Amino acid sequence: MTRILVIQGHPDGKEPHLCQSLADVYCDEAQQNGHLVRRIDLAAVTFPLLRSHSEWRQPPSKEIALAQESVAWADHIVLIFPLWLGCMPALLKGFLEQLLRPGFALTESRTGPKPLLTGKTASVIVTMCMPSSLYPLQFRPHELKVLERNVLRLVGIRPLRRMIIGRADKLSLEDRDRWLDKLRLRAAVAG
C-alpha cells in the first residue's frame, strides 16, 4: 500500500477539462487497488505569490501548511497539469514556490541547499494542445527537465515517469479512453 498525493494543477476550477478527468481516474483506480490517496485541486487553493526571498523564508499560510502536511505524508506524488506557453501554469509554479520552502523541503547552508524530502517519488502528467511528438523537438522537454531536476530532485523527490498527452484539445473519445486506460494501469501500481 502506497500513500499517494495527486496534485491537479490546472488553474481553472469552473470548466471541466482533461486534467480533472485524469486526476479522477488516477485517484479512483489507486484507491481501488488498496493505495491511500489524497488530492489537491490547485484551483481551490488560495495563496499569495511570493515576491521576495524573505517572504519565501517566512512560515507558510494555513492552506500551504496543509498541503505540506500532505506532501510529508505521501510516498508518491502525481503532478497533473496543462502546458501553457511551453511551461506549467503560473499558479502551479507559484504553488510549488510556496510549498517547497526552507525548513520543509530543503535546508539552506553555505555549501548549497540540502534536500529534506528524500525517499519520495513523483510522476508527471502533462496535457498540451500541440502534438506530443513536436514537444521534444520544439522545447526539448525543457519545462519537464526543469521541473524534474531543479524542483523535484532539488528537494529530494525522485522523478519516476512522465506521461505527455498531446492534442488534448482535440482527442477523440476513443483516444481519451486509451489515455485513461494507460493511466489506470499506472495508478494500480502507484506509478
Side-chain angles (χ1 to χ4, degrees):
M1 173 177 30
T2 304
R3 293 184 310 258
I4 302 169
L5 172 62
V6 175
I7 300 174
Q8 195 282 105
H10 197 298
D12 183 1
K14 295 178 182 166
E15 297 292 324
H17 48 74
L18 182 57
C19 290
Q20 287 174 332
S21 296
L22 293 166
D24 291 345
V25 164
Y26 193 100
C27 290
D28 291 346
E29 191 66 29
Q31 287 173 330
Q32 288 176 21
N33 282 277
H35 303 294
L36 300 174
V37 178
R38 291 185 185 178
R39 177 173 172 170
I40 297 172
D41 284 286
L42 197 54
V45 180
T46 304
F47 58 89
L49 294 178
L50 295 174
R51 298 184 182 274
S52 69
H53 184 72
S54 63
E55 285 182 7
W56 186 56
R57 301 190 71 185
Q58 298 300 314
S61 69
K62 183 178 179 181
E63 283 193 88
I64 295 298
L66 289 171
Q68 287 178 334
E69 192 277 321
S70 288
V71 169
W73 167 87
D75 302 311
H76 185 69
I77 299 163
V78 179
L79 286 165
I80 302 171
F81 62 91
L83 193 73
W84 287 0
L85 296 174
C87 298
M88 69 179 76
L91 190 66
L92 179 56
K93 176 72 165 77
F95 175 74
L96 293 174
E97 289 173 357
Q98 284 279 1
L99 184 71
L100 302 175
R101 292 169 179 261
F104 170 71
L106 50 86
T107 60
E108 295 179 293
S109 72
R110 290 183 181 165
T111 58
K114 304 288 186 223
L116 295 176
L117 298 176
T118 56
K120 298 181 184 303
T121 58
S123 294
V124 178
I125 301 166
V126 179
T127 64
M128 61 186 67
C129 291
M130 78 172 74
S132 57
S133 59
L134 289 182
Y135 178 60
L137 298 173
Q138 186 167 355
F139 292 99
R140 294 174 181 71
H142 172 72
E143 174 64 20
L144 293 180
K145 289 178 184 177
V146 167
L147 174 62
E148 291 170 354
R149 182 188 62 234
N150 299 356
V151 178
L152 298 175
R153 287 187 192 279
L154 177 71
V155 299
I157 300 170
R158 185 171 51 93
L160 287 181
R161 292 186 180 91
R162 295 177 184 169
M163 180 181 277
I164 301 172
I165 303 172
R167 305 299 283 171
D169 59 331
K170 299 196 181 343
L171 287 178
S172 67
L173 288 176
E174 295 81 20
D175 288 338
R176 187 175 190 273
D177 287 344
R178 271 194 290 273
W179 280 113
L180 294 175
D181 287 342
K182 286 180 186 180
L183 190 60
R184 283 184 185 92
L185 293 173
R186 287 191 179 185
V189 297

